[in-house]
Amino acid sequence: CFHFENKKIAILLDNLPAHKTDQVKKIVAETKMKLIFNLTHGSRLNPIEYFFGYLKDKLKHKTYRNFKQLHKLLRSEERRVGKGVDLG
């Protein structure tokens, strides 16, 4: 099992084909990792999808003149969620 700083790491992935390439398989074998794949069409079971949905709602009606403005909003929302903002 893969460890980081003496802690076991669990990696949950969706079924995107890019997550199953030969390069990924090689890295997994070299590091002795075990990947956990979510159920097909099971995005509602993946907590990060709630954050992505929340961000999409925040971004869809706004225009950003440059990357710096977008980055500032993303960091702001990241901090809000870290403080316990309800995503659902």
Side-chain angles (χ1 to χ4, degrees), residues 59-75:
L59 298 173
K60 69 182 172 187
H61 297 296
K62 295 184 180 184
T63 302
Y64 301 93
R65 293 178 186 235
N66 55 49
F67 180 76
K68 189 173 182 177
Q69 285 181 340
L70 175 60
H71 186 260
K72 185 177 178 180
L73 173 83
L74 292 174
R75 284 295 192 198

Side-chain angles (χ1 to χ4, degrees), residues 12-16 19 36-59 81 85-88:
L12 174 66
L13 301 166
D14 60 17
N15 286 287
L16 185 72
H19 296 153
I36 302 166
F37 289 96
N38 201 356
L39 299 172
T40 303
H41 305 292
S43 61
R44 69 183 179 282
L45 301 174
N46 186 349
I48 194 66
E49 296 297 338
Y50 291 102
F51 182 62
F52 292 154
Y54 173 81
L55 280 179
K56 283 189 237 176
D57 285 344
K58 287 286 186 180
L59 298 173
V81 170
V85 169
D86 183 15
L87 301 179

